């Protein structure tokens, strides 16, 4: 295991068309996914699939992670809100991309997962000064650090329209990407506030967003 396998994963993502920009590709090389999967699943760290991370939650497949970052157009200096910290993998990628002039606010509702994400991020070898991990109900967004250039929701949302409160937390030219649908099947929706469009970009399956504006616990 090592960088050769990580490089193979990235080459696959590039050839399959999920990775298109240099900045996001570089971030995926710098943030080793091995540190974000449980010990017993390390041999699958570079497989292009979702993996369980405990508490019934998953780390998303690399192709979905890359695709969402590309569609959002995350760039150096941006302030980004992530809803659903999970393993912290996407959080670390965002931190690499936005750099020290940018800021990543990531909300997780399961306290233990936020703690695990913090440990994973540390283990991955960097002391990111631009990450703010919050334990709270992310379905409400996070007003203290708003407005954001970009919002990425990594859990399934039951609805999204121009009246959604998350949209109010975006800058006028901000973008939001989220899986929207029912508990078992969703479409990734890309919202562009500048032109007011909702674009269906990919069919996906994410774990449900809980909380006030999410799904009710079963
Ligand atoms: N981005 C993650 C994938 C997270 S899976 C990664 O790279 O690993 C979705 C996460 O959303 C889970 O950790 C789940 O606990 C969290 N979640 C569900 N409902 C939430 C809510 N209302 N607020 C914040 N996080 C929530």
């Amino acid at each position: 295991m090592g960088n050769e396998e990580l490089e193979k994963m990235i080459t696959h993502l590039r050839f399959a068309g999920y990775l298109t920009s240099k900045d996001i590709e570089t971030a995926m090389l710098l943030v080793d996914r091995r540190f974000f999967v449980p010990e017993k699943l390390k041999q699958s760290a570079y497989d292009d699939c979702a993996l369980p991370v405990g508490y019934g939650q998953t780390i998303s497949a690399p192709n979905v992670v890359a695709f969402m970052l590309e569609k959002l157009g995350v760039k150096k200096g941006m302030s980004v809100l992530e809803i659903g910290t999970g393993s912290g993998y996407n959080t670390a990628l965002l931190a690499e991309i936005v750099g020290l002039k940018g800021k990543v606010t990531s909300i997780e509702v399961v306290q233990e997962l936020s703690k695990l994400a913090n440990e994973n991020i540390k283990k991955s070898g960097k002391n990111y000064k631009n990450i703010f991990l919050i334990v709270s109900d992310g379905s409400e967004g996070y007003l203290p650090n708003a407005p954001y250039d970009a919002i990425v929701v990594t859990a399934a949302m039951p609805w999204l329209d121009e009246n959604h409160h998350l949209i109010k937390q975006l800058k006028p030219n901000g973008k939001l990407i989220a899986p929207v649908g029912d508990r078992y099947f969703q479409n990734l929706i890309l919202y562009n506030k500048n032109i007011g469009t909702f674009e269906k970009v990919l069919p996906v399956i994410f774990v449900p967003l809980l909380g006030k504006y999410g799904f009710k616990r079963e």
Side-chain angles (χ1 to χ4, degrees):
M1 248 199 276
N3 285 341
E4 220 170 275
E5 283 194 58
L6 176 62
E7 278 166 28
K8 250 166 64 187
M9 177 186 100
I10 288 162
T11 305
H12 151 77
L13 295 175
R14 194 175 50 234
F15 278 109
Y18 297 111
L19 260 180
T20 49
S21 75
K22 200 71 210 156
D23 286 358
I24 297 174
E25 181 174 330
T26 305
M28 289 192 99
L29 266 172
L30 291 172
V31 179
D32 194 329
R33 193 168 184 260
R34 178 163 56 103
F35 295 108
F36 297 86
V37 304
E39 201 53 48
K40 60 178 190 297
L41 295 172
K42 292 278 191 245
Q43 76 280 3
S44 307
Y46 307 113
D47 293 352
D48 194 8
C49 59
L51 295 169
V53 291
Y55 307 92
Q57 307 303 331
T58 53
I59 174 172
S60 306
N63 74 76
V64 176
V65 174
F67 188 78
M68 288 175 90
L69 294 172
E70 292 286 6
K71 281 287 169 192
L72 262 184
V74 184
K75 303 226 161 36
K76 214 174 256 323
M78 282 187 170
S79 173
V80 183
L81 173 68
E82 177 187 35
I83 301 175
T85 313
S87 68
Y89 177 57
N90 194 45
T91 318
L93 286 172
L94 286 166
E96 274 301 336
I97 301 163
V98 303
L100 278 178
K101 291 208 170 106
K103 185 171 176 176
V104 180
T105 307
S106 186
I107 312 191
E108 172 56 55
V109 75
V110 180
Q111 188 171 8
E112 292 85 349
L113 274 175
S114 187
K115 207 169 143 235
L116 177 74
N118 191 31
E119 284 162 14
N120 289 345
I121 292 167
K122 279 201 189 124
K123 268 192 287 172
S124 78
K126 297 245 177 115
N127 180 14
Y128 293 105
K129 296 263 191 292
N130 53 356
I131 293 180
F132 299 83
L133 295 182
I134 313 288
V135 177
S136 177
D137 175 11
S139 78
E140 299 189 54
Y142 191 67
L143 271 173
N145 290 355
Y148 303 97
D149 295 293
I151 299 180
V152 51
V153 187
T154 68
M157 288 172 64
W159 64 280
L160 178 70
D161 64 23
E162 59 276 3
N163 298 317
H164 202 284
H165 59 283
L166 286 182
I167 282 172
K168 298 193 185 80
Q169 298 184 22
L170 274 179
K171 290 185 186 171
N173 58 353
K175 287 184 185 173
L176 176 150
I177 197 160
V180 183
D182 61 31
R183 247 171 207 279
Y184 306 104
F185 182 80
Q186 307 94 33
N187 279 299
L188 267 185
I189 303 291
L190 177 68
Y191 171 71
N192 185 331
K193 192 162 179 173
N194 192 22
I195 43 180
T197 51
F198 292 85
E199 193 189 337
K200 233 185 239 183
V201 290
L202 192 75
V204 285
I205 301 171
F206 275 73
V207 295
L209 179 78
L210 304 173
K212 191 168 171 190
Y213 299 101
F215 291 93
K216 299 283 156 279
R217 279 180 201 272
E218 271 183 333

